[in-house]
Amino acid sequence: MAAPGQNMRVNADRLWDSLMDMAKIGPGVAGGNNRQTLTDADAEGRKLFQSWCEAAGLTMGVDKMGNMFMTRPGTDPDALPVYVGSHLDTQPTGGKYDGVLGVLAGLEVIRSMNDLNIKTKHPIVVVNWTNEEGARFAPAMLASGVFAGIHSIDYAYDRKDMEGLRFGDELARIGWIGDEEVGARKMHAYFEYHIEQGPILEAEDKQIGVVTHCQGLWWLEFTLTGKEAHTGSTPMNMRVNAGLAMARIMEMTQAIAMENQPGCVAGVGQVKFSPNSRNVLPGTVVFTIDLRSPDQTKLDGMRARIEKEAAAIAEVLGVGCSVEAVGHFDPVTFDPTLVSAVRKAAEDLGYSHMNLISGAGHDACWAAKVAPATMVMCPCVGGLSHNEAEEISKDWAGAGCDVLLRAVVETAGIVE
């Protein structure tokens, strides 16, 4: 006898074809994607997604942060919608699946419901959140943060990239400022499907990650001010070396993270030297320390200690030191009822599964502030992400989307 729900599955081939077609927009240099937020490639990807959604019978709404909301009506006009989605923007050297899988899987849920003639009480909305990555405009999850009331729209519009371009100006330039007030929409529930971005599911040979929590984060942007000087003719004991201060702060950060094991990570992925010349000591160094932990006490304790010890390091070297928290969210516990719906869907479909704590931040973290929320994850090869070599299999993608379909339909209330 077939397992319950055995006949309610998505079209994995169609999902995969959609992923490959979207990957043609904003190609990277090594097989992945460079479709950073508010670029021309982002605008092109949005238009393709819009065309697919409209072909599936969805109607589009866009808010003033450029968030795209594609709606399939329910049978009850007063019922709040079930939202499902993620983001289409990528890292500068990003993969084809990070974020994109969640958006296109949401579309595949709708397409499969159309194929199966499934009606639900609650409307279902597929969402593409603007600037989840934060690679171009910090902080990450910016638009969902405005939606959840964490940031003001003025704050978001004033964010600048490394070239000094404003978020608000670039959103206008690509033509994706909508007329909806940000956060005016209300949610019955929110689901997000994502690749794991870590090695656990693959190592444990599990098909589905049932995400119970998301670890918290601090992004601490340091600005160190030294003195520009010739690297060859300035005596070692007369230097005010901002680069040396940065190196010592990075070493200190590594040590603090190791002392707080298990369950803590910290590192630096972006550094800007000025004037960035081979034979000139930097006058200014700007870099961001990324701290994460599911333990609130450890997370905040690491932040306090790093800021204190960084100031001491800079003082010894005579270097100016300032720090700004440019990104933050507390650890998140996802809604137990929705988590159970994901787990039950995996069990009904016969997929192997395990509980996971997400190591990365996601729009679901902010959605959880305003509605019940949870996530589904699939494995990725070697746990590799934020890299053009990021890879998943069609079977993995399809299995997670099957689970998403069942959990979303159950939560939206199937109408016989």
Side-chain angles (χ1 to χ4, degrees), residues 100-350:
V100 186
L101 174 63
V103 177
L104 299 187
L107 172 59
E108 179 54 35
V109 164
I110 299 300
R111 287 169 163 172
S112 295
M113 290 175 65
N114 291 345
D115 294 344
L116 298 168
N117 195 30
I118 293 173
K119 295 181 175 63
T120 56
K121 173 184 176 181
H122 293 262
I124 297 173
V125 178
V126 183
V127 55
N128 169 39
W129 300 104
T130 302
N131 190 47
E132 191 275 349
E133 290 291 2
R136 185 178 178 200
F137 298 98
M141 301 127 60
L142 181 62
S144 57
V146 177
F147 186 94
I150 306 302
H151 311 301
S152 72
I153 195 166
D154 289 339
Y155 168 85
Y157 278 11
D158 282 340
R159 297 303 88 200
K160 294 181 180 179
D161 67 9
M162 295 292 279
E163 306 302 320
L165 298 174
R166 291 178 67 252
F167 178 97
D169 295 337
E170 287 294 275
L171 183 60
R173 183 188 67 80
I174 68 168
W176 279 91
I177 295 181
D179 55 9
E180 290 188 19
E181 294 300 320
V182 186
R185 290 169 170 263
K186 304 303 178 185
M187 299 180 179
H188 176 63
Y190 177 81
F191 288 88
E192 184 162 349
Y193 178 33
H194 210 281
I195 65 171
E196 181 192 352
Q197 300 181 280
I200 298 172
L201 289 174
E202 186 184 33
E204 297 291 333
D205 195 25
K206 301 296 185 184
Q207 296 164 289
I208 304 297
V210 180
V211 185
T212 60
H213 299 76
C214 186
Q215 63 183 0
L217 168 149
W218 281 107
W219 277 359
L220 306 178
E221 183 179 89
F222 283 82
T223 300
L224 304 178
T225 307
K227 181 185 291 185
E228 293 177 22
H230 197 295
T231 56
S233 57
T234 306
M236 296 297 289
N237 64 343
M238 298 178 68
R239 300 180 177 206
V240 184
N241 191 342
L244 177 60
M246 179 207 69
R248 290 184 179 175
I249 291 170
M250 289 175 66
E251 184 80 23
M252 171 268 292
T253 298
Q254 172 77 8
I256 288 176
M258 293 304 296
E259 290 170 17
N260 278 275
Q261 295 304 301
C264 294
V265 294
V268 175
Q270 184 183 67
V271 179
K272 184 178 180 180
F273 273 44
S274 178
N276 200 30
S277 176
R278 289 181 178 85
N279 59 346
V280 181
L281 295 172
T284 305
V285 178
V286 180
F287 64 99
T288 301
I289 296 175
D290 183 326
L291 307 173
R292 305 187 191 215
S293 177
D295 184 313
Q296 185 79 60
T297 301
K298 285 186 176 182
L299 181 69
D300 293 339
M302 284 200 301
R303 178 198 176 181
R305 186 173 163 193
I306 285 171
E307 290 187 0
K308 179 180 179 180
E309 295 191 19
I313 288 169
E315 183 177 7
V316 168
L317 296 173
V319 170
C321 177
S322 64
V323 60
E324 177 186 2
V326 296
H328 171 66
F329 53 87
D330 289 336
V332 175
T333 299
F334 287 123
D335 181 76
T337 299
L338 298 186
V339 170
S340 294
V342 171
R343 185 179 296 111
K344 182 177 184 299
E347 291 171 352
D348 287 349
L349 290 162

Side-chain angles (χ1 to χ4, degrees), residues 75-104:
T75 60
D76 183 349
D78 297 323
L80 292 178
V82 174
Y83 283 69
V84 55
S86 193
H87 61 97
L88 293 175
D89 68 311
T90 76
Q91 290 285 328
T93 53
K96 298 189 289 286
Y97 312 101
D98 175 359
V100 186
L101 174 63
V103 177
L104 299 187

